[in-house]
Amino acid sequence: MDEVVTLGRAESDRGEVLLRRRGTGAYAVEELVVNGTFAMDSTETHSERELGRLAGGAPRVLIGGLGLGWTVAAVLDEADRLGLEVQVDVVELEAALVAWAREGRTPTLARAATDPRVRLHVGDVAAVLARRGGPAGPWDAILLDVDNGPDFLIHAQNDALYTEPALREAYDRLAPGGLLAIWCQAPSPPLLAALRTVDASAEEHRHRVSREGRTFTYAIEVLRRPPA
Ligand SMILES: C[S@@+](CC[C@H](N)C(=O)[O-])C[C@H]1O[C@@H](n2cnc3c(N)ncnc32)[C@H](O)[C@@H]1O
């Protein structure tokens, strides 16, 4: 049996937030469970890398939410690889997770909290996109990974985020030439169709990944705003 260590546990209005490490040494896996829903672990981070690659070259990036900080790390690494400057706003609903990042409870969370190019904000990314608070934007890339996709929500109220009005708000916060990318645990024809009502050129990037002997097809739905 793997050793399981609780790195953080908190209750918010929305439910429990649980950060833990399973296993030891090179085999250790960090995992995050929010509101009873598996949100992220460090076993398989290729699709977070892909989000970082998609944002490559974007000088201003908005990420919603923080999770374990792998998307933040991917964006920073991609900017470093390209030798470009980047400013990253991260909007995370759970205050405890941001506090744990500032306390350095995992190496990737510590990096997100200490890299001077990153600003962590506690809030609802839907409210930020609707201009109801938080950082003002505009952004050259908006990367959304707040659920496991529209079919597997962490919070029921995130449902609205995947509808045309919210997608249009996100699009409106993009600078000309900017990109909106939404991580999904599986291809989502309804989300792609909603994105195509905003801009017909929206597209889906599929990624086959292996986890614990099973194969999954993750999808990143992408909407680009034309250059000015
Ligand atoms: C799937 S995890 C993100 C994983 C992340 N990509 C990573 O690299 O670790 C989802 C995160 O979004 C947060 N979240 C959920 N709904 C949110 C919302 N409406 N606004 C901001 N953050 C939200 C959750 O608390 C959780 O930290």
Side-chain angles (χ1 to χ4, degrees):
M1 274 287 272
D2 278 346
E3 182 191 359
V4 180
V5 177
T6 298
L7 302 174
R9 184 195 294 271
E11 279 291 334
S12 77
D13 296 345
R14 292 162 297 276
E16 187 184 58
V17 187
L18 182 59
L19 175 65
R20 59 192 176 199
R21 188 175 56 234
R22 196 177 284 283
T24 51
Y27 300 102
V29 170
E30 287 143 9
E31 55 185 37
L32 177 67
V33 180
V34 181
N35 191 26
T37 306
F38 169 82
M40 175 74 189
D41 72 19
S42 55
T43 311
E44 168 46 64
T45 58
H46 278 95
S47 53
E48 282 73 20
R49 294 268 147 219
E50 180 58 14
L51 280 175
R53 193 193 64 73
L54 282 167
R60 297 161 297 183
V61 179
L62 172 67
I63 298 176
L66 174 60
L68 294 175
W70 287 95
T71 304
V72 180
V75 167
L76 296 175
D77 288 346
E78 188 64 9
D80 289 342
R81 191 182 71 78
L82 296 169
L84 295 172
E85 292 189 3
V86 68
Q87 279 295 326
V88 186
D89 286 307
V90 183
V91 179
E92 166 58 45
L93 199 52
E94 300 299 346
L97 195 52
V98 171
W100 297 339
R102 294 197 168 120
E103 292 165 10
R105 295 208 189 180
T106 76
T108 27
L109 284 176
R111 182 178 180 197
T114 54
D115 191 299
R117 296 170 290 181
V118 180
R119 287 173 296 205
L120 299 181
H121 310 266
V122 176
D124 183 341
V125 74
V128 170
L129 294 173
R131 301 174 195 260
R132 285 188 270 110
W139 294 279
D140 305 287
I142 298 176
L143 310 178
L144 293 183
D145 181 8
V146 294
D147 296 295
N148 294 317
D151 308 322
F152 191 175
L153 302 175
I154 287 180
H155 300 299
Q157 63 269 31
N158 282 344
D159 202 19
L161 201 49
Y162 306 100
T163 61
E164 189 194 331
L167 298 171
R168 207 169 278 286
E169 281 168 350
Y171 183 81
D172 288 344
R173 309 310 303 280
L174 288 172
L179 157 151
L180 167 67
I182 304 177
W183 192 95
C184 302
Q185 57 136 14
S188 175
L191 176 57
L192 185 59
L195 287 166
R196 285 187 171 152
T197 62
V198 180
D199 190 304
S201 67
E203 58 193 31
E204 183 172 78
H205 298 219
R206 295 186 179 193
H207 301 273
R208 280 169 74 82
V209 295
S210 296
R211 286 180 62 100
E212 293 149 8
R214 294 176 62 198
T215 303
F216 298 87
T217 302
Y218 295 159
I220 300 177
E221 312 290 351
V222 178
L223 181 64
R224 293 177 194 274
R225 191 176 176 132

